[in-house]
């Protein structure tokens, strides 16, 4: 008898293993990508700066503060964080289908009908209470494939959040440098206006003494007005840029301080381009589209499993009586059974469901491939932009120096009566335009470095990320975290926030509880008012 029971247990275990190992649908295969050995426009190999908080190379504490504030308060990052939590909850929600569902039921009836159709000669009561259980066995892997898809979507949401964070850092930095540029060009306009105003006064005095013509006065007035009209234009641009930055920081429009002039920022000496194959492991938008493809591939298995019979076990244990006082004394009743539900003929609906999911997976693969191509293009565009803007800056610097000297000499020649005022006008115009162009060129060059780091996928965003990854490495290697060299930890698409620590889970519960309490208090105040 014991031997028979042992065989039964062994057979049941083998059956359970077979059932749990059976999953219909294609297993995920990493998409093949053929990338070049190097980018089309590149100068050097990978630089470790890509794995740092790269905006710190500009050595501007105000910029650092703006970025930290934006990462904490920007509404788009908060929306992305909410999507991560939704996806995290959906993983647990989906995983719950893999286990048995247990519930309770209770009922009370009175009447002279039995089973709803048999009429009795007397009125009777009925009371019952029971615990019920239902377990749909994941014979074809429907729930496991669904859980696989949910986990991939969680990873996709984490990479999506990171993509938004990198875009936010770049946008804050771009707006900040643009703000400095507009302030610089405003000062250029003001200094030019002051110079032209003094020039106008000199020419007006010469006209009053009869040494020049009224046309020289008019031309000097035009030159002054040209500089004067640019001042409100740059004031407007400054205000708009400050407002953009304020929204990025998650606050109402306000003024934004700046620390340096553009020329005080040291340009990085190297370009950390790396190699294209590394880009596939670092760009969050590539990793996000890859996980969406993984999720959609798993959904094919879910659709295929729905074409096969579903098998479920049901059980009930409870109490029943015609008299409430005898409910407990009548003893327990129980039942156990199994159900099989299989689709037979649904006009090809189940087959078409699989075809739909296959095409969705194909669409996701094409989106992934297109994302890779666009990412490679963005890196090459950033590299050529950076290189050519450097050439432009060199030419603009030469132009500014020559224009300033020519403008000074032409004024001196005019005052000495050697040349006409037309020469002065032309050289002043060239000088003014050259100084404005140089400022804009320097700003665009600084932002081209920002664009390059963004196109390369950036590196670590926060110290918390590095600390968490170091702890994960220490746990895997079973060593103390102090033994991990944090400077050697390169970012290669690690989703360090995939699993929350117990402290993070507890903090999340406290935050949710505090939010619910605050909402209740606010509703109370609203009712009183």
């Amino acid at each position: 008898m014991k031997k028979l029971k042992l065989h039964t247990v062994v057979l049941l275990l083998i059956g359970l293993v077979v059932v749990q190992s059976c999953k219909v649908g294609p297993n995920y295969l990493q998409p093949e990508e053929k990338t070049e050995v190097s980018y089309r426009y590149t100068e050097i190999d990978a630089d470790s700066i890509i794995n740092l908080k790269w905006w710190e190379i500009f050595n501007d504490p105000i910029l650092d503060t703006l970025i930290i504030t934006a990462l904490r308060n920007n509404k788009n990052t908060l929306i992305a964080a909410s999507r991560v939590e939704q996806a995290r909850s959906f993983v647990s929600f989906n995983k719950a289908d893999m286990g048995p569902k247990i519930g309770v039921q209770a009922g009370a009836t009175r009447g002279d009908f039995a089973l709803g159709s048999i009429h009795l000669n007397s009125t009777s009561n009925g009371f019952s209470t029971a615990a019920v259980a239902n377990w749909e066995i994941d014979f074809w892997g429907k729930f496991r494939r669904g859980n696989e898809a949910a986990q991939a979507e969680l990873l996709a949401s984490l990479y999506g959040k990171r993509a938004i964070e990198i875009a936010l850092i770049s946008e804050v930095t771009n707006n900040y440098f643009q703000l400095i540029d507009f302030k610089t060009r405003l000062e250029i306009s003001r200094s030019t206006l002051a110079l032209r105003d003094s020039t106008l006064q000199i020419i007006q005095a010469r006209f009053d003494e009869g040494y020049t013509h009224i046309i020289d006065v008019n031309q000097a007035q035009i030159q002054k007005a040209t500089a004067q009209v640019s001042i409100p234009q740059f004031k407007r641009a400054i205000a708009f840029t400050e407002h953009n930055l304020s929204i990025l920081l998650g606050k109402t429009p306000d003024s934004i301080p700046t620390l340096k002039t553009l020329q005080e920022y040291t340009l990085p000496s190297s370009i950390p381009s790396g190699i294209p194959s590394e880009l596939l492991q670092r760009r969050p938008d590539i990793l996000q589209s890859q996980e969406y493809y993984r999720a959609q591939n798993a959904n094919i298995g879910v659709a295929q499993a729905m074409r096969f019979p579903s098998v479920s076990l049901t059980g009930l244990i409870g109490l029943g009586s015609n008299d409430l006082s005898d409910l407990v004394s009548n003893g327990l009743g129980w039942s156990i059974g199994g159900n099989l539900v299989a689709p037979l003929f649904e006009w090809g609906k189940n087959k078409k469901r699989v075809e739909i999911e296959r095409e969705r997976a194909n669409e996701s693969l094409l989106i992934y491939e297109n994302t890779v191509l666009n990412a490679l293009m963005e890196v090459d565009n950033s590299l050529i932009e950076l290189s050519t803007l450097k050439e432009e800056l060199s030419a603009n610097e030469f132009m500014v120096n020559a224009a300033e000297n020519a403008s000074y000499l032409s004024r001196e020649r005019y005052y000495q009566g050697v040349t006409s005022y037309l020469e002065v006008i032309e050289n002043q115009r060239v000088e003014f335009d050259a100084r404005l162009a140089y400022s804009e060129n320097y700003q665009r060059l600084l932002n081209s470095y920002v664009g390059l780091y963004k196109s390369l996928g950036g590196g670590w965003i926060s110290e918390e990320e590095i600390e968490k990854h170091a702890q994960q490495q220490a746990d895997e290697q079973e060593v103390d975290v102090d033994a991990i060299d944090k400077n050697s930890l390169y970012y290669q698409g690690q989703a360090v926030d995939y699993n929350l620590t117990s402290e993070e889970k507890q903090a999340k519960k406290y935050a949710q509880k505090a939010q619910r309490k605050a909402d209740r208090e606010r509703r109370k105040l609203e009712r009183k008012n």
Side-chain angles (χ1 to χ4, degrees):
M1 184 66 177
K2 288 183 179 180
K3 188 176 182 180
L4 180 61
K5 286 183 178 180
L6 181 60
H7 286 169
T8 303
V9 171
V10 170
L11 289 173
L12 286 172
L13 289 174
I14 292 173
L16 185 61
V17 170
V18 170
V19 167
Q20 292 298 318
S21 64
C22 179
K23 284 196 295 187
V24 297
N27 291 324
Y28 174 74
L29 290 176
Q30 178 75 21
E32 290 186 16
E33 282 299 334
K34 296 179 180 179
T35 59
E36 300 296 331
V37 176
S38 64
Y39 295 106
R40 182 183 178 191
Y41 299 100
T42 188
E43 295 181 8
I44 62 169
D45 293 332
D47 191 321
S48 62
I49 193 70
I50 195 63
N51 288 290
L52 305 176
K53 293 184 289 183
W54 48 263
W55 59 89
E56 292 185 350
I57 64 173
F58 298 115
N59 194 28
D60 187 336
I62 291 181
L63 176 60
D64 297 344
T65 302
L66 292 177
I67 288 173
I68 292 170
T69 303
L71 289 172
R72 186 185 302 120
N73 299 330
N74 179 266
K75 301 307 176 186
N76 285 331
T77 58
L78 294 176
I79 291 170
S82 176
R83 288 174 181 159
V84 169
E85 294 309 316
Q86 293 173 44
R88 198 187 304 280
S89 296
F90 190 71
V91 170
S92 300
F93 175 84
N94 226 49
K95 193 179 291 185
D97 287 330
M98 300 178 68
K101 298 173 180 61
I102 301 172
V104 295
Q105 66 182 34
T109 60
R110 179 176 173 79
D112 58 1
F113 273 83
L115 302 177
S117 60
I118 303 173
H119 186 268
L120 304 175
N121 293 327
S122 61
T123 301
S124 64
N125 298 324
F127 302 95
S128 65
T129 180
V132 294
N134 180 68
W135 184 19
E136 182 178 344
I137 301 175
D138 194 20
F139 199 87
W140 310 107
K142 178 174 67 176
F143 299 140
R144 278 167 289 155
R145 289 295 190 194
N147 189 52
E148 183 182 333
Q151 289 175 333
E153 287 175 357
L154 171 57
L155 268 175
S157 68
L158 287 166
Y159 290 130
K161 177 174 176 285
R162 186 177 182 85
I164 288 174
E165 289 172 337
I166 290 177
L168 175 65
I169 293 169
S170 301
E171 199 168 351
V172 169
T173 310
N174 285 338
N175 275 269
Y176 184 72
F177 287 148
Q178 199 166 56
L179 177 61
I180 297 174
D181 174 34
F182 288 142
K183 287 183 176 182
T184 302
R185 287 195 265 175
L186 176 61
E187 288 305 311
I188 291 172
S189 299
R190 283 173 172 165
S191 63
T192 302
L193 174 61
L195 177 62
R196 291 182 181 181
D197 182 61
S198 64
T199 301
L200 174 59
Q201 292 178 26
I202 294 172
I203 293 174
Q204 182 68 51
R206 287 168 62 86
F207 171 74
D208 293 341
E209 295 294 327
Y211 293 125
T212 189
H213 300 285
I214 187 64
I215 191 171
D216 287 357
V217 176
N218 294 148
Q219 288 171 334
Q221 290 170 336
I222 292 171
Q223 288 293 89
K224 176 185 174 181
T226 300
Q228 194 169 10
V229 78
S230 66
I231 291 176
Q233 292 175 351
F234 289 123
K235 283 182 177 178
R236 182 167 60 248
I238 287 170
F240 286 172
T241 307
E242 286 180 328
H243 296 170
N244 287 339
L245 267 170
S246 297
I247 299 305
L248 292 173
L249 299 178
K251 65 178 187 178
T252 56
D254 199 356
S255 62
I256 302 292
T258 53
L259 182 63
K260 304 179 181 181
T261 62
L262 287 174
Q263 286 73 29
E264 289 181 283
Y265 290 95
T266 304
L267 296 173
S269 58
S270 60
I271 302 175
S273 57
I275 57 176
S277 61
E278 293 177 345
L279 191 69
L280 307 184
Q281 301 167 346
R282 195 167 54 225
R283 281 270 298 227
D285 56 340
I286 293 177
L287 296 168
Q288 181 185 27
S289 60
Q290 178 180 304
E291 291 306 321
Y292 277 136
Y293 171 55
R294 187 196 303 270
Q296 195 52 55
N297 185 78
N299 284 333
I300 298 173
V302 175
Q304 286 185 337
M306 294 176 72
R307 300 186 65 185
F308 295 98
S310 61
V311 179
S312 60
L313 302 176
T314 59
L316 180 148
I317 182 170
L319 303 166
S321 174
N322 290 332
D323 193 331
L324 185 60
S325 61
D326 296 333
L327 182 63
V328 177
S329 60
N330 277 353
L332 289 172
W334 62 275
S335 70
I336 189 170
N339 296 316
L340 186 146
V341 180
L344 290 179
F345 189 72
E346 296 186 359
W347 306 95
K349 180 178 179 179
N350 290 320
K351 181 181 178 182
K352 292 299 179 184
R353 184 187 289 115
V354 176
E355 291 178 7
I356 290 170
E357 298 300 339
R358 284 190 183 280
E359 280 307 314
R360 285 177 176 169
N362 185 52
E363 177 191 5
S364 298
L365 177 59
L366 293 172
I367 291 173
Y368 167 80
E369 292 172 349
N370 193 51
T371 303
V372 171
L373 291 175
N374 280 315
L376 295 171
M377 178 192 70
E378 287 178 13
V379 174
D380 269 322
N381 285 350
S382 295
L383 289 168
I384 188 60
E385 180 183 40
L386 196 153
S387 176
T388 53
L389 282 172
K390 280 183 175 180
E391 294 178 16
E392 279 185 50
L393 188 68
S394 178
N396 270 322
E397 185 177 11
F398 183 81
M399 186 189 301
V400 167
N401 293 332
E404 286 176 346
N405 190 54
S407 181
Y408 169 75
L409 292 175
S410 64
R411 286 196 306 274
E412 292 299 312
R413 281 159 54 85
Y414 173 72
Y415 296 150
Q416 295 169 13
V418 177
T419 188
S420 70
Y421 193 60
L422 288 175
E423 179 183 301
V424 177
I425 292 172
E426 178 59 21
N427 283 314
Q428 282 185 344
R429 182 192 63 78
V430 171
E431 180 194 9
F432 185 47
D433 292 344
R435 291 177 68 192
L436 293 178
Y438 181 79
S439 178
E440 183 181 9
N441 191 173
Y442 209 99
Q443 172 259 126
R444 290 182 61 194
L445 180 56
L446 285 173
N447 279 333
S448 69
Y449 282 98
V450 177
L452 176 60
Y453 288 119
K454 177 187 175 185
S455 65
L456 290 171
W460 298 111
I461 290 177
S462 66
E463 292 293 338
E464 290 76 11
E465 278 188 335
I466 301 175
E467 294 291 338
K468 201 166 205 179
H469 185 53
Q471 186 61 58
Q472 290 173 349
Q473 292 291 307
D475 293 341
E476 290 178 8
Q477 300 175 25
E478 297 182 349
V479 297
D480 188 82
V481 69
D482 293 333
I484 302 296
D485 180 12
K486 295 173 186 175
N487 294 325
S488 67
L489 298 179
Y490 280 66
Y491 177 75
Q492 292 180 325
Q494 298 95 337
V496 295
D497 292 329
Y498 183 83
N499 294 314
L500 297 179
T501 63
S502 56
E503 292 81 7
E504 288 172 328
K505 291 178 182 177
Q506 196 65 35
K508 180 182 171 184
K509 288 180 181 179
Y510 285 145
Q512 291 173 340
K513 185 177 179 180
Q515 184 61 50
R516 289 193 295 269
K517 183 178 179 181
D519 290 341
R520 286 195 300 269
E521 293 298 326
R522 191 175 67 176
R523 283 193 290 269
K524 287 180 182 179
L525 288 174
E526 288 177 352
R527 285 196 296 269
K528 289 179 181 179
N529 296 333

